[in-house]
Amino acid sequence: MGQVAAVTGATGFLGGHLCERLLAEGWTVRGLCRPSSDRRLERPASRSSDLAEVAWYVGDCFDAATLSSLVDGADVVFHLAGVGLWSADPETVHRVNREGTENVLEACRDGDVGRVVFTSTAGTRRTNGSSEFADEDDIAEPIGAYQASKAAAERLLDDYAATGGDAVTVHPTSIVGPGDDSFTTQLLAMGLEPTMPATLPGGASIVGVSDVVDGLLAAAADGERGEHYILGGENLTYDQAASRIADYAGGTAAPVRVPATAIRAAGPVAEGVRAVTGRQVFPFDRRMAALATQRLFYSSQKANAELGYEYEPLESHLPETLAWYRDAET
């Protein structure tokens, strides 16, 4: 009998890809999902895939009985469940990301559980200016509710590891791949759509979803208890990424870059609308808007040295991602 994995966030973009890989490698997979969640993977029409072999546990991170059943007896608990500011208000983001993590760890303490692999975000790390690339030691002051909630959850994992539990935290950077209708669709549009008026200033560490799944499995197998690992990819400006996508796919990269001043100005506008009307028109404030104009570049040297983690160039992830993107448009 293969190893048993429990996966929260199993129907999400990264969670679905992780479950698919685990199943392919012979794991028994238990997945946490809400009653309304779609349990199919979004793939190009030429390659259908679903998660029918996952043993589904219907509930969420606030259902103690379901969590207990989900994790008990698992060799690895992959905790990926979370929400961002595009889909929830700041209070809900904190509740799900921080308190939900606390509930998962409580279930793990009470059950027979091997290792916990927690997926945080590279956003809790940021260079202090002494280097172009941030690493695991560059702990940053959180900007916005999402980063703050993830930083708080990381502290819970660190405490769990320091008090007898076995836990590792990974920090993916900006992930691209089929099924992601946020960052991936925006990035591809900058390189493919003739109607796209502009690229963005700044840049990101762009990593394929399959590489992040590799990193999750490596962290489960070889990570040091209590350690953190950045799972990044190529560090590219958005201009560079758009040009490479256009060159690969025969598209037309957006010809103009949005001025950083325009993005920074949107932060105060969003704050003002929220203060007057109580409505959130953009999920960021002035500090988050300023952050979006920076080159958020990262080093994965530690993950490479300790986990054997490697990443592929952007172009290697484009065939399946572009097929999915074009299917979604038709």
Side-chain angles (χ1 to χ4, degrees):
M1 181 177 178
Q3 290 184 292
V4 176
V7 183
T8 72
T11 59
F13 165 51
L14 179 57
H17 283 270
L18 173 63
C19 288
E20 184 182 42
R21 179 78 66 81
L22 290 167
L23 290 169
E25 295 190 2
W27 290 66
T28 296
V29 182
R30 305 171 181 171
L32 182 67
C33 70
R34 290 171 296 177
S36 60
S37 295
D38 187 348
R39 301 174 192 177
R40 296 169 299 174
L41 287 176
E42 293 191 56
R43 286 286 189 270
S46 59
R47 186 191 150 208
S48 62
S49 180
D50 62 37
L51 301 177
E53 295 178 53
V54 173
W56 292 107
Y57 290 67
V58 180
D60 59 29
C61 291
F62 298 90
D63 184 340
T66 300
L67 285 179
S68 178
S69 298
L70 175 78
V71 304
D72 190 38
D75 296 288
V76 183
V77 174
F78 293 95
H79 178 40
L80 288 80
V83 296
L85 287 166
W86 281 107
S87 56
D89 59 78
E91 292 75 20
T92 301
V93 168
H94 178 83
R95 180 172 180 267
V96 172
N97 294 348
R98 192 273 181 199
E99 295 176 24
T101 298
E102 186 173 33
N103 293 340
V104 171
L105 293 178
E106 183 175 346
C108 291
R109 288 188 189 277
D110 292 341
D112 176 20
V113 172
R115 163 160 287 184
V116 178
V117 178
F118 172 56
T119 300
S120 185
T121 171
T124 60
R125 302 298 189 269
R126 197 160 51 251
T127 180
N128 59 14
S130 61
S131 171
E132 186 179 4
F133 309 108
D135 64 22
E136 291 82 359
D137 293 329
D138 293 318
I139 299 174
E141 178 188 358
I143 295 178
Y146 179 76
Q147 288 186 7
S149 66
K150 285 293 191 177
E154 288 173 24
R155 292 191 290 271
L156 294 175
L157 268 291
D158 292 343
D159 180 69
Y160 178 85
T163 55
D166 184 2
V168 174
T169 298
V170 298
H171 302 257
T173 58
S174 298
I175 309 176
V176 296
D180 173 39
D181 59 3
S182 54
F183 178 76
T184 299
T185 54
Q186 294 171 33
L187 186 69
L188 293 180
M190 285 190 285
L192 296 175
E193 305 299 338
T195 58
M196 184 72 175
T199 58
L200 299 173
S205 172
I206 300 174
V207 62
V209 65
S210 60
D211 293 333
V212 176
V213 170
D214 287 344
L216 285 164
L217 295 176
D222 300 316
E224 288 290 326
R225 175 185 296 192
E227 289 296 323
H228 294 244
Y229 299 97
I230 290 173
L231 305 179
E234 289 188 277
N235 292 297
L236 301 171
T237 67
Y238 291 118
D239 284 346
Q240 290 171 331
S243 293
R244 284 172 57 176
I245 292 168
D247 288 345
Y248 179 89
T252 303
V256 178
R257 181 190 299 173
V258 175
T261 52
I263 294 177
R264 288 195 291 267
V269 170
E271 289 179 346
V273 171
R274 187 163 57 243
V276 173
T277 68
R279 296 178 58 216
Q280 180 169 278
V281 292
F282 306 116
F284 53 79
D285 57 20
R286 67 188 68 205
R287 295 177 69 211
M288 295 168 68
L291 183 65
T293 67
Q294 298 177 18
R295 296 185 178 188
L296 301 174
F297 291 166
Y298 292 89
S299 167
S300 300
Q301 183 176 358
K302 180 179 177 180
N304 175 259
E306 297 188 16
L307 306 179
Y309 172 75
E310 296 181 344
Y311 57 83
E312 298 292 331
L314 174 61
E315 287 80 1
S316 70
H317 301 288
L318 290 179
E320 186 177 35
T321 304
L322 286 170
W324 163 79
Y325 179 78
R326 286 164 174 158
D327 281 351
E329 288 192 313
T330 59

